[in-house]
Structure formats: structure tokens, C-alpha cells
Amino acid sequence: MKFFVDTAMLDEIRDLAEYGLLDGVTTNPSLIARSGRDFKETVAQICAMVDGPVSAEVAATDAPGMIAEGEVLAALAPNVVVKLPTTLDGLKACRHFAGQGIQTNLTLCFTANQALLVAKAGATYVSPFVGRLDDLNLDGMALIRDIRTIYDNFAFDTQILAASIRNANHISAAAIAGADVATAPAAVIRGLIRHPLTDAGLATFSADWAATGQSIL
Ligand code: E4P
């Protein structure tokens, strides 16, 4: 499974890239607003730092506006993925970009039917929002499983990008459910390696090694 980091913060992206844990980046208007940075400049900088796909979301809600904005975003760098809302206008824009060979990420997907339409429109990625469904006491991971089944039934090549990932359990569950990609905050990705028994075991090994008085070098 590929990992994308869900952020507009360059230092977080740089840090994860150093661990080899980064396959791409997703941003959204809320993350850009939180960063306080210029949108297009930030996207161009991220694209220069990361080899993989970088999702940049349009602001327009009508198809002609999405197409116009998406073309500006796609021109920023070859690894830009135009992020579009999962609406009828979004499908129209998605079809347009698929015809141009420009990658798309259809965001704010909450049902299997939406995911079916997104795949038929030729999206590169669909982003089902797991955490926001869980917030409503619904089962976000069941949606990932349903989309996997539908895409496999019809051999759609749209990739399932599990989004709104909030914790480590979401990542492993998305991997088991067959998501192609998970996008998560940097802290969630970094936290996957941690286990108290790893820390305790390492502390014991270090103390026992020190007691031997030996040196490997
Ligand atoms: C994905 O592309 C979204 O930017 C993101 O995963 C949303 O996460 P949230 O529901 O935690 O805001």
C-alpha cells in the first residue's frame, strides 16, 4: 500500500521523505488555509520535493470553473493530480481531464455508488473519507471494502485512496480491506512504528550490552 501525507507543511513532507515513507501528498483547502501559505506556490514547492503524485484541489463548484482551475493547477508540475469534488459537475470535469491524460482525485466520497460513478468517469483516484463516516457512528472501513469489491468485480483501475485517516488502526484496516493508498497526517504515519514493547526491549538490550563493556567498532 502506498502512503500519501495529508498536509501543506513542507517540513513534514521533507521529514517523511527522509524515512522513505512517502509515496505522494494530498492537500485540501482547509490544510492550505491552516498553513497560511500561498496555494499555487506551495503546490509547486511540494511537487519539486516529491517524485510521486501531489493532489491539489480546485475551489470552483461548477464544471467549467473546475476545468479552468484544474488546467492552471496541472500546469504547475507534471506530478499534480487535480482534486475534484464528487458531484455531477466534478464527474464532468473528471471526464474532461481523463481525456487529456491528466490525473484526478475525486474527493469527499461517502458512498459505494459515488465511487462507482467516479470510476466510470475515469478518475485516477477516489477518496473515501473513513474518519468522517466514523465520526457519524457509521462504518468508514466498510465503505473501503465495498468499493474494493465493486472495482474488482468490474476491473476498474481507479485507485482507492483511503482518506480522512485519523489513527494507526485505520491504516492497517485500510490495508487489509485492499485500499491502494492511505493518506494520513504526518503524525499518524510516523506513529505507526511505535510500540511500548519495542521501546522496553531496546532499553533492556542497551543496558545489558553496556554491562558487557564491549564495543562493536
Ligand atoms: C483527503 O484528501 C483529505 O484531505 C483528508 O484526508 C481529510 O481528512 P479529515 O477528515 O481528517 O479532515
Side-chain angles (χ1 to χ4, degrees):
M1 184 170 65
K2 284 175 272 184
F3 283 171
F4 293 175
V5 63
D6 200 29
T7 187
M9 306 302 287
L10 303 187
D11 53 343
E12 291 188 334
I13 295 166
R14 200 173 293 117
D15 179 60
L16 282 175
E18 282 174 4
Y19 296 113
L21 293 178
L22 198 59
D23 299 303
V25 178
T26 53
T27 63
N28 67 37
S30 306
L31 293 169
I32 294 292
R34 218 174 296 152
S35 76
R37 296 171 50 88
D38 178 81
F39 177 38
K40 287 188 281 181
E41 189 182 298
T42 302
V43 170
Q45 286 175 331
I46 295 173
C47 287
M49 289 167 61
V50 177
D51 285 335
V54 176
S55 289
E57 188 161 342
V58 298
T61 54
D62 63 302
M66 290 182 209
I67 290 169
E69 290 180 359
E71 281 172 353
V72 170
L73 296 174
L76 292 174
N79 50 338
V80 165
V81 175
V82 178
K83 203 171 176 188
L84 301 162
T86 300
T87 60
L88 280 176
D89 281 75
L91 293 182
K92 205 184 273 185
C94 177
R95 171 53 60 200
H96 166 86
F97 287 118
Q100 308 262 309
I102 292 173
Q103 298 201 95
T104 52
N105 173 0
L106 275 280
T107 190
L108 292 166
C109 171
F110 293 97
T111 71
N113 281 328
Q114 288 179 318
L116 179 56
L117 267 53
V118 158
K120 287 174 72 66
T124 314
Y125 300 97
V126 64
S127 287
F129 273 41
V130 172
R132 292 191 195 189
L133 284 169
D134 287 1
D135 289 345
L136 297 181
N137 213 15
L138 297 168
D139 186 351
M141 216 46 75
L143 176 59
I144 303 284
R145 287 193 292 275
D146 287 349
I147 298 173
R148 181 74 281 152
T149 301
I150 291 168
Y151 284 9
D152 289 349
N153 282 349
F154 299 100
F156 285 123
D157 55 13
T158 298
Q159 295 183 52
I160 302 172
L161 199 176
S164 189
I165 293 288
R166 305 273 176 75
N167 56 53
N169 287 343
H170 275 159
I171 301 252
S172 49
I176 291 165
D180 299 286
V181 191
T183 189
V188 171
I189 296 174
R190 271 199 310 272
L192 297 177
I193 198 73
R194 280 202 297 269
H195 195 284
L197 290 178
T198 303
D199 296 341
L202 187 59
T204 304
F205 288 157
S206 295
D208 289 347
W209 177 250
T212 71
Q214 299 182 47
S215 162
I216 296 175
L217 297 179

